[in-house]
Amino acid sequence: DSPENTAAGIIYWRDSIYRPIVAQGPWQLVCLAVSRVSAFSMYPPTVLVFFTKCKTLINWLETTPASMYMLKDFHELHAYCGVYIAYCVLVHALFHILRYA
């Protein structure tokens, strides 16, 4: 690696170019960090949104010992996850816009 590549945010990994961070200045780094955190934090709620509507899987799990750890009201969890995802989408999009504003 050369100082020029490091300054450009280019990393060579396994004989290919990888650019994990493409930001100029502290403001863009903060915006990029908030965008990535908001995006990655949506993964578990997205899985839960789909899981809460898998009625066959839920009915089967209720016949197993896993039922001791399951919630009784999946609609409330579904609604909460939906609101959380909507909030994260807004934060994610806002910080991408602010990054280049």
Side-chain angles (χ1 to χ4, degrees), residues 1-43:
D1 282 272
S2 67
E4 294 83 21
N5 287 340
T6 303
I10 298 173
I11 297 171
Y12 287 101
W13 188 67
R14 294 188 181 180
D15 298 327
S16 64
I17 296 175
Y18 176 63
R19 297 182 67 179
I21 298 175
V22 182
Q24 290 118 15
W27 174 248
Q28 283 195 8
L29 283 172
V30 168
C31 289
L32 183 62
V34 172
S35 294
R36 286 187 179 185
V37 167
S38 64
F40 291 134
S41 72
M42 283 189 280
Y43 287 143

mmCIF file of all heavy atoms in Angstrom, residues 1-43:
data_model
loop_
_atom_site.group_PDB
_atom_site.id
_atom_site.type_symbol
_atom_site.label_atom_id
_atom_site.label_comp_id
_atom_site.label_asym_id
_atom_site.label_seq_id
_atom_site.Cartn_x
_atom_site.Cartn_y
_atom_site.Cartn_z
ATOM 1 N N ASP A 1 0.826 -1.195 0.000
ATOM 2 C CA ASP A 1 0.000 0.000 0.000
ATOM 3 C C ASP A 1 0.864 1.249 0.000
ATOM 4 O O ASP A 1 1.905 1.312 0.631
ATOM 5 C CB ASP A 1 -0.911 0.003 1.219
ATOM 6 C CG ASP A 1 -2.090 -0.906 1.027
ATOM 7 O OD1 ASP A 1 -3.082 -0.423 0.490
ATOM 8 O OD2 ASP A 1 -2.004 -2.082 1.417
ATOM 9 N N SER A 2 0.362 2.244 -0.665
ATOM 10 C CA SER A 2 1.074 3.512 -0.747
ATOM 11 C C SER A 2 0.294 4.586 0.000
ATOM 12 O O SER A 2 -0.909 4.436 0.232
ATOM 13 C CB SER A 2 1.253 3.919 -2.204
ATOM 14 O OG SER A 2 -0.003 4.222 -2.767
ATOM 15 N N PRO A 3 0.941 5.671 0.379
ATOM 16 C CA PRO A 3 0.220 6.771 1.047
ATOM 17 C C PRO A 3 -0.900 7.342 0.180
ATOM 18 O O PRO A 3 -1.930 7.763 0.698
ATOM 19 C CB PRO A 3 1.313 7.810 1.298
ATOM 20 C CG PRO A 3 2.594 7.052 1.293
ATOM 21 C CD PRO A 3 2.389 5.906 0.345
ATOM 22 N N GLU A 4 -0.709 7.331 -1.135
ATOM 23 C CA GLU A 4 -1.760 7.846 -2.026
ATOM 24 C C GLU A 4 -3.012 6.970 -1.959
ATOM 25 O O GLU A 4 -4.130 7.461 -1.936
ATOM 26 C CB GLU A 4 -1.259 7.921 -3.483
ATOM 27 C CG GLU A 4 -0.161 8.931 -3.701
ATOM 28 C CD GLU A 4 1.227 8.376 -3.341
ATOM 29 O OE1 GLU A 4 1.412 7.138 -3.301
ATOM 30 O OE2 GLU A 4 2.118 9.199 -3.082
ATOM 31 N N ASN A 5 -2.816 5.653 -1.962
ATOM 32 C CA ASN A 5 -3.962 4.748 -1.863
ATOM 33 C C ASN A 5 -4.639 4.870 -0.514
ATOM 34 O O ASN A 5 -5.869 4.837 -0.426
ATOM 35 C CB ASN A 5 -3.525 3.303 -2.097
ATOM 36 C CG ASN A 5 -3.202 3.019 -3.539
ATOM 37 O OD1 ASN A 5 -3.633 3.751 -4.432
ATOM 38 N ND2 ASN A 5 -2.439 1.973 -3.783
ATOM 39 N N THR A 6 -3.847 4.999 0.537
ATOM 40 C CA THR A 6 -4.427 5.151 1.862
ATOM 41 C C THR A 6 -5.253 6.421 1.941
ATOM 42 O O THR A 6 -6.358 6.424 2.483
ATOM 43 C CB THR A 6 -3.320 5.169 2.938
ATOM 44 O OG1 THR A 6 -2.566 3.964 2.827
ATOM 45 C CG2 THR A 6 -3.898 5.277 4.326
ATOM 46 N N ALA A 7 -4.741 7.499 1.387
ATOM 47 C CA ALA A 7 -5.477 8.766 1.393
ATOM 48 C C ALA A 7 -6.755 8.675 0.575
ATOM 49 O O ALA A 7 -7.756 9.319 0.902
ATOM 50 C CB ALA A 7 -4.586 9.885 0.857
ATOM 51 N N ALA A 8 -6.747 7.864 -0.460
ATOM 52 C CA ALA A 8 -7.935 7.702 -1.307
ATOM 53 C C ALA A 8 -8.905 6.674 -0.741
ATOM 54 O O ALA A 8 -9.973 6.451 -1.302
ATOM 55 C CB ALA A 8 -7.518 7.299 -2.717
ATOM 56 N N GLY A 9 -8.542 6.030 0.379
ATOM 57 C CA GLY A 9 -9.425 5.034 0.974
ATOM 58 C C GLY A 9 -9.390 3.700 0.268
ATOM 59 O O GLY A 9 -10.329 2.913 0.368
ATOM 60 N N ILE A 10 -8.326 3.408 -0.462
ATOM 61 C CA ILE A 10 -8.220 2.162 -1.219
ATOM 62 C C ILE A 10 -7.372 1.169 -0.429
ATOM 63 O O ILE A 10 -6.290 1.494 0.038
ATOM 64 C CB ILE A 10 -7.591 2.397 -2.602
ATOM 65 C CG1 ILE A 10 -8.482 3.328 -3.427
ATOM 66 C CG2 ILE A 10 -7.364 1.085 -3.329
ATOM 67 C CD1 ILE A 10 -7.875 3.764 -4.731
ATOM 68 N N ILE A 11 -7.878 -0.029 -0.295
ATOM 69 C CA ILE A 11 -7.166 -1.096 0.393
ATOM 70 C C ILE A 11 -7.060 -2.273 -0.566
ATOM 71 O O ILE A 11 -8.050 -2.661 -1.200
ATOM 72 C CB ILE A 11 -7.912 -1.534 1.672
ATOM 73 C CG1 ILE A 11 -7.992 -0.375 2.659
ATOM 74 C CG2 ILE A 11 -7.247 -2.738 2.305
ATOM 75 C CD1 ILE A 11 -8.883 -0.652 3.836
ATOM 76 N N TYR A 12 -5.874 -2.830 -0.700
ATOM 77 C CA TYR A 12 -5.700 -4.032 -1.507
ATOM 78 C C TYR A 12 -5.868 -5.245 -0.598
ATOM 79 O O TYR A 12 -5.206 -5.360 0.425
ATOM 80 C CB TYR A 12 -4.314 -4.052 -2.153
ATOM 81 C CG TYR A 12 -4.193 -3.067 -3.271
ATOM 82 C CD1 TYR A 12 -3.558 -1.855 -3.082
ATOM 83 C CD2 TYR A 12 -4.738 -3.342 -4.515
ATOM 84 C CE1 TYR A 12 -3.466 -0.931 -4.111
ATOM 85 C CE2 TYR A 12 -4.647 -2.432 -5.551
ATOM 86 C CZ TYR A 12 -4.008 -1.230 -5.343
ATOM 87 O OH TYR A 12 -3.919 -0.324 -6.351
ATOM 88 N N TRP A 13 -6.792 -6.120 -0.974
ATOM 89 C CA TRP A 13 -7.050 -7.309 -0.172
ATOM 90 C C TRP A 13 -7.257 -8.478 -1.118
ATOM 91 O O TRP A 13 -8.140 -8.429 -1.982
ATOM 92 C CB TRP A 13 -8.272 -7.088 0.703
ATOM 93 C CG TRP A 13 -8.517 -8.156 1.689
ATOM 94 C CD1 TRP A 13 -7.750 -8.487 2.767
ATOM 95 C CD2 TRP A 13 -9.623 -9.052 1.719
ATOM 96 N NE1 TRP A 13 -8.295 -9.510 3.464
ATOM 97 C CE2 TRP A 13 -9.461 -9.890 2.837
ATOM 98 C CE3 TRP A 13 -10.734 -9.238 0.910
ATOM 99 C CZ2 TRP A 13 -10.358 -10.887 3.158
ATOM 100 C CZ3 TRP A 13 -11.632 -10.220 1.243
ATOM 101 C CH2 TRP A 13 -11.429 -11.033 2.362
ATOM 102 N N ARG A 14 -6.430 -9.498 -0.973
ATOM 103 C CA ARG A 14 -6.498 -10.684 -1.840
ATOM 104 C C ARG A 14 -6.421 -10.303 -3.320
ATOM 105 O O ARG A 14 -7.243 -10.718 -4.134
ATOM 106 C CB ARG A 14 -7.750 -11.498 -1.558
ATOM 107 C CG ARG A 14 -7.749 -12.116 -0.190
ATOM 108 C CD ARG A 14 -8.907 -13.053 -0.034
ATOM 109 N NE ARG A 14 -8.905 -13.623 1.308
ATOM 110 C CZ ARG A 14 -9.795 -14.475 1.749
ATOM 111 N NH1 ARG A 14 -10.771 -14.877 0.957
ATOM 112 N NH2 ARG A 14 -9.724 -14.938 2.965
ATOM 113 N N ASP A 15 -5.469 -9.483 -3.632
ATOM 114 C CA ASP A 15 -5.204 -9.057 -5.011
ATOM 115 C C ASP A 15 -6.366 -8.320 -5.677
ATOM 116 O O ASP A 15 -6.516 -8.348 -6.892
ATOM 117 C CB ASP A 15 -4.787 -10.252 -5.874
ATOM 118 C CG ASP A 15 -3.500 -10.871 -5.370
ATOM 119 O OD1 ASP A 15 -2.649 -10.117 -4.850
ATOM 120 O OD2 ASP A 15 -3.342 -12.100 -5.493
ATOM 121 N N SER A 16 -7.213 -7.694 -4.893
ATOM 122 C CA SER A 16 -8.269 -6.876 -5.476
ATOM 123 C C SER A 16 -8.403 -5.595 -4.655
ATOM 124 O O SER A 16 -7.966 -5.520 -3.522
ATOM 125 C CB SER A 16 -9.597 -7.626 -5.512
ATOM 126 O OG SER A 16 -10.014 -7.906 -4.207
ATOM 127 N N ILE A 17 -9.047 -4.619 -5.248
ATOM 128 C CA ILE A 17 -9.223 -3.325 -4.589
ATOM 129 C C ILE A 17 -10.506 -3.362 -3.768
ATOM 130 O O ILE A 17 -11.562 -3.786 -4.242
ATOM 131 C CB ILE A 17 -9.283 -2.197 -5.623
ATOM 132 C CG1 ILE A 17 -7.953 -2.091 -6.367
ATOM 133 C CG2 ILE A 17 -9.620 -0.871 -4.958
ATOM 134 C CD1 ILE A 17 -7.967 -1.081 -7.498
ATOM 135 N N TYR A 18 -10.400 -2.915 -2.546
ATOM 136 C CA TYR A 18 -11.544 -2.854 -1.649
ATOM 137 C C TYR A 18 -11.616 -1.448 -1.082
ATOM 138 O O TYR A 18 -10.634 -0.943 -0.564
ATOM 139 C CB TYR A 18 -11.368 -3.888 -0.528
ATOM 140 C CG TYR A 18 -12.439 -3.854 0.523
ATOM 141 C CD1 TYR A 18 -13.754 -4.142 0.206
ATOM 142 C CD2 TYR A 18 -12.133 -3.532 1.839
ATOM 143 C CE1 TYR A 18 -14.735 -4.116 1.168
ATOM 144 C CE2 TYR A 18 -13.109 -3.505 2.807
ATOM 145 C CZ TYR A 18 -14.411 -3.795 2.467
ATOM 146 O OH TYR A 18 -15.382 -3.758 3.419
ATOM 147 N N ARG A 19 -12.760 -0.792 -1.197
ATOM 148 C CA ARG A 19 -12.906 0.573 -0.717
ATOM 149 C C ARG A 19 -13.973 0.614 0.375
ATOM 150 O O ARG A 19 -15.126 0.900 0.091
ATOM 151 C CB ARG A 19 -13.277 1.490 -1.858
ATOM 152 C CG ARG A 19 -12.199 1.554 -2.932
ATOM 153 C CD ARG A 19 -12.555 2.480 -4.026
ATOM 154 N NE ARG A 19 -12.559 3.833 -3.479
ATOM 155 C CZ ARG A 19 -12.812 4.904 -4.185
ATOM 156 N NH1 ARG A 19 -13.093 4.806 -5.453
ATOM 157 N NH2 ARG A 19 -12.804 6.086 -3.647
ATOM 158 N N PRO A 20 -13.604 0.320 1.633
ATOM 159 C CA PRO A 20 -14.602 0.285 2.690
ATOM 160 C C PRO A 20 -15.098 1.660 3.113
ATOM 161 O O PRO A 20 -16.239 1.820 3.511
ATOM 162 C CB PRO A 20 -13.872 -0.401 3.833
ATOM 163 C CG PRO A 20 -12.446 -0.043 3.622
ATOM 164 C CD PRO A 20 -12.272 0.015 2.130
ATOM 165 N N ILE A 21 -14.226 2.647 3.048
ATOM 166 C CA ILE A 21 -14.605 3.993 3.472
ATOM 167 C C ILE A 21 -14.208 4.968 2.387
ATOM 168 O O ILE A 21 -13.035 5.102 2.061
ATOM 169 C CB ILE A 21 -13.929 4.380 4.800
ATOM 170 C CG1 ILE A 21 -14.363 3.446 5.908
ATOM 171 C CG2 ILE A 21 -14.237 5.822 5.161
ATOM 172 C CD1 ILE A 21 -13.656 3.663 7.218
ATOM 173 N N VAL A 22 -15.195 5.607 1.821
ATOM 174 C CA VAL A 22 -14.934 6.626 0.823
ATOM 175 C C VAL A 22 -15.562 7.905 1.354
ATOM 176 O O VAL A 22 -16.730 8.194 1.123
ATOM 177 C CB VAL A 22 -15.532 6.252 -0.548
ATOM 178 C CG1 VAL A 22 -15.207 7.317 -1.574
ATOM 179 C CG2 VAL A 22 -15.025 4.906 -0.993
ATOM 180 N N ALA A 23 -14.790 8.624 2.148
ATOM 181 C CA ALA A 23 -15.280 9.847 2.769
ATOM 182 C C ALA A 23 -14.136 10.841 2.857
ATOM 183 O O ALA A 23 -13.007 10.467 3.126
ATOM 184 C CB ALA A 23 -15.835 9.551 4.157
ATOM 185 N N GLN A 24 -14.502 12.086 2.642
ATOM 186 C CA GLN A 24 -13.506 13.135 2.764
ATOM 187 C C GLN A 24 -13.899 14.030 3.932
ATOM 188 O O GLN A 24 -14.919 14.700 3.888
ATOM 189 C CB GLN A 24 -13.431 13.962 1.486
ATOM 190 C CG GLN A 24 -12.840 13.206 0.330
ATOM 191 C CD GLN A 24 -13.815 13.062 -0.811
ATOM 192 O OE1 GLN A 24 -14.813 13.742 -0.858
ATOM 193 N NE2 GLN A 24 -13.524 12.157 -1.713
ATOM 194 N N GLY A 25 -13.102 13.986 4.964
ATOM 195 C CA GLY A 25 -13.322 14.849 6.111
ATOM 196 C C GLY A 25 -14.137 14.184 7.208
ATOM 197 O O GLY A 25 -14.803 13.164 6.992
ATOM 198 N N PRO A 26 -14.089 14.783 8.392
ATOM 199 C CA PRO A 26 -14.774 14.207 9.547
ATOM 200 C C PRO A 26 -16.301 14.187 9.411
ATOM 201 O O PRO A 26 -16.953 13.249 9.866
ATOM 202 C CB PRO A 26 -14.346 15.075 10.722
ATOM 203 C CG PRO A 26 -13.452 16.132 10.196
ATOM 204 C CD PRO A 26 -13.269 15.923 8.740
ATOM 205 N N TRP A 27 -16.884 15.216 8.780
ATOM 206 C CA TRP A 27 -18.346 15.249 8.649
ATOM 207 C C TRP A 27 -18.844 14.074 7.812
ATOM 208 O O TRP A 27 -19.818 13.415 8.175
ATOM 209 C CB TRP A 27 -18.800 16.571 8.033
ATOM 210 C CG TRP A 27 -20.268 16.596 7.759
ATOM 211 C CD1 TRP A 27 -20.872 16.625 6.548
ATOM 212 C CD2 TRP A 27 -21.321 16.548 8.723
ATOM 213 N NE1 TRP A 27 -22.236 16.608 6.694
ATOM 214 C CE2 TRP A 27 -22.536 16.563 8.017
ATOM 215 C CE3 TRP A 27 -21.360 16.489 10.099
ATOM 216 C CZ2 TRP A 27 -23.766 16.524 8.647
ATOM 217 C CZ3 TRP A 27 -22.597 16.457 10.738
ATOM 218 C CH2 TRP A 27 -23.779 16.478 10.013
ATOM 219 N N GLN A 28 -18.184 13.800 6.707
ATOM 220 C CA GLN A 28 -18.600 12.675 5.882
ATOM 221 C C GLN A 28 -18.383 11.352 6.602
ATOM 222 O O GLN A 28 -19.183 10.426 6.439
ATOM 223 C CB GLN A 28 -17.860 12.685 4.544
ATOM 224 C CG GLN A 28 -18.397 13.698 3.578
ATOM 225 C CD GLN A 28 -17.917 13.466 2.162
ATOM 226 O OE1 GLN A 28 -17.280 12.463 1.851
ATOM 227 N NE2 GLN A 28 -18.236 14.392 1.279
ATOM 228 N N LEU A 29 -17.333 11.256 7.402
ATOM 229 C CA LEU A 29 -17.108 10.026 8.179
ATOM 230 C C LEU A 29 -18.228 9.809 9.187
ATOM 231 O O LEU A 29 -18.715 8.687 9.351
ATOM 232 C CB LEU A 29 -15.758 10.078 8.889
ATOM 233 C CG LEU A 29 -14.535 9.816 8.018
ATOM 234 C CD1 LEU A 29 -13.261 10.097 8.805
ATOM 235 C CD2 LEU A 29 -14.544 8.394 7.522
ATOM 236 N N VAL A 30 -18.654 10.867 9.870
ATOM 237 C CA VAL A 30 -19.751 10.746 10.841
ATOM 238 C C VAL A 30 -21.037 10.350 10.133
ATOM 239 O O VAL A 30 -21.757 9.446 10.576
ATOM 240 C CB VAL A 30 -19.929 12.065 11.629
ATOM 241 C CG1 VAL A 30 -21.220 12.067 12.419
ATOM 242 C CG2 VAL A 30 -18.743 12.301 12.547
ATOM 243 N N CYS A 31 -21.326 11.019 9.019
ATOM 244 C CA CYS A 31 -22.549 10.692 8.269
ATOM 245 C C CYS A 31 -22.513 9.258 7.757
ATOM 246 O O CYS A 31 -23.525 8.551 7.801
ATOM 247 C CB CYS A 31 -22.738 11.673 7.115
ATOM 248 S SG CYS A 31 -23.191 13.319 7.631
ATOM 249 N N LEU A 32 -21.360 8.831 7.275
ATOM 250 C CA LEU A 32 -21.220 7.462 6.788
ATOM 251 C C LEU A 32 -21.404 6.461 7.923
ATOM 252 O O LEU A 32 -22.075 5.439 7.770
ATOM 253 C CB LEU A 32 -19.858 7.280 6.131
ATOM 254 C CG LEU A 32 -19.579 5.915 5.506
ATOM 255 C CD1 LEU A 32 -20.569 5.643 4.381
ATOM 256 C CD2 LEU A 32 -18.157 5.864 4.991
ATOM 257 N N ALA A 33 -20.837 6.761 9.085
ATOM 258 C CA ALA A 33 -20.977 5.865 10.240
ATOM 259 C C ALA A 33 -22.435 5.745 10.667
ATOM 260 O O ALA A 33 -22.933 4.638 10.905
ATOM 261 C CB ALA A 33 -20.118 6.366 11.394
ATOM 262 N N VAL A 34 -23.139 6.872 10.750
ATOM 263 C CA VAL A 34 -24.557 6.827 11.150
ATOM 264 C C VAL A 34 -25.372 6.081 10.099
ATOM 265 O O VAL A 34 -26.257 5.279 10.443
ATOM 266 C CB VAL A 34 -25.106 8.256 11.376
ATOM 267 C CG1 VAL A 34 -26.603 8.242 11.591
ATOM 268 C CG2 VAL A 34 -24.402 8.912 12.554
ATOM 269 N N SER A 35 -25.082 6.290 8.830
ATOM 270 C CA SER A 35 -25.800 5.579 7.760
ATOM 271 C C SER A 35 -25.592 4.076 7.867
ATOM 272 O O SER A 35 -26.532 3.297 7.741
ATOM 273 C CB SER A 35 -25.336 6.060 6.389
ATOM 274 O OG SER A 35 -25.694 7.394 6.185
ATOM 275 N N ARG A 36 -24.345 3.667 8.105
ATOM 276 C CA ARG A 36 -24.070 2.230 8.190
ATOM 277 C C ARG A 36 -24.681 1.604 9.432
ATOM 278 O O ARG A 36 -25.239 0.505 9.360
ATOM 279 C CB ARG A 36 -22.565 1.983 8.164
ATOM 280 C CG ARG A 36 -21.984 2.185 6.792
ATOM 281 C CD ARG A 36 -20.538 1.789 6.729
ATOM 282 N NE ARG A 36 -20.041 1.976 5.381
ATOM 283 C CZ ARG A 36 -18.832 1.627 5.001
ATOM 284 N NH1 ARG A 36 -17.984 1.096 5.854
ATOM 285 N NH2 ARG A 36 -18.454 1.816 3.760
ATOM 286 N N VAL A 37 -24.595 2.292 10.569
ATOM 287 C CA VAL A 37 -25.183 1.746 11.798
ATOM 288 C C VAL A 37 -26.694 1.613 11.648
ATOM 289 O O VAL A 37 -27.283 0.593 12.032
ATOM 290 C CB VAL A 37 -24.815 2.613 13.021
ATOM 291 C CG1 VAL A 37 -25.655 2.252 14.229
ATOM 292 C CG2 VAL A 37 -23.338 2.476 13.345
ATOM 293 N N SER A 38 -27.327 2.632 11.078
ATOM 294 C CA SER A 38 -28.782 2.550 10.903
ATOM 295 C C SER A 38 -29.155 1.439 9.919
ATOM 296 O O SER A 38 -30.175 0.775 10.088
ATOM 297 C CB SER A 38 -29.346 3.893 10.451
ATOM 298 O OG SER A 38 -28.850 4.257 9.184
ATOM 299 N N ALA A 39 -28.332 1.204 8.910
ATOM 300 C CA ALA A 39 -28.627 0.130 7.952
ATOM 301 C C ALA A 39 -28.441 -1.241 8.597
ATOM 302 O O ALA A 39 -29.307 -2.111 8.473
ATOM 303 C CB ALA A 39 -27.724 0.270 6.731
ATOM 304 N N PHE A 40 -27.315 -1.429 9.279
ATOM 305 C CA PHE A 40 -27.050 -2.741 9.877
ATOM 306 C C PHE A 40 -27.999 -3.051 11.034
ATOM 307 O O PHE A 40 -28.300 -4.218 11.286
ATOM 308 C CB PHE A 40 -25.597 -2.843 10.333
ATOM 309 C CG PHE A 40 -24.614 -2.886 9.199
ATOM 310 C CD1 PHE A 40 -23.481 -2.104 9.221
ATOM 311 C CD2 PHE A 40 -24.831 -3.692 8.096
ATOM 312 C CE1 PHE A 40 -22.568 -2.137 8.171
ATOM 313 C CE2 PHE A 40 -23.929 -3.731 7.047
ATOM 314 C CZ PHE A 40 -22.790 -2.953 7.090
ATOM 315 N N SER A 41 -28.477 -2.025 11.723
ATOM 316 C CA SER A 41 -29.389 -2.289 12.837
ATOM 317 C C SER A 41 -30.773 -2.718 12.357
ATOM 318 O O SER A 41 -31.584 -3.175 13.153
ATOM 319 C CB SER A 41 -29.504 -1.059 13.737
ATOM 320 O OG SER A 41 -30.247 -0.037 13.102
ATOM 321 N N MET A 42 -31.042 -2.576 11.070
ATOM 322 C CA MET A 42 -32.339 -3.012 10.527
ATOM 323 C C MET A 42 -32.395 -4.508 10.239
ATOM 324 O O MET A 42 -33.484 -5.053 10.052
ATOM 325 C CB MET A 42 -32.651 -2.257 9.228
ATOM 326 C CG MET A 42 -33.110 -0.858 9.440
ATOM 327 S SD MET A 42 -33.706 -0.111 7.916
ATOM 328 C CE MET A 42 -32.173 0.362 7.135
ATOM 329 N N TYR A 43 -31.267 -5.197 10.192
ATOM 330 C CA TYR A 43 -31.284 -6.623 9.853
ATOM 331 C C TYR A 43 -32.109 -7.471 10.817
ATOM 332 O O TYR A 43 -33.000 -8.202 10.371
ATOM 333 C CB TYR A 43 -29.862 -7.172 9.737
ATOM 334 C CG TYR A 43 -29.123 -6.722 8.495
ATOM 335 C CD1 TYR A 43 -27.776 -6.436 8.541
ATOM 336 C CD2 TYR A 43 -29.766 -6.593 7.276
ATOM 337 C CE1 TYR A 43 -27.088 -6.026 7.411
ATOM 338 C CE2 TYR A 43 -29.098 -6.179 6.142
ATOM 339 C CZ TYR A 43 -27.760 -5.906 6.215
ATOM 340 O OH TYR A 43 -27.084 -5.510 5.088
#
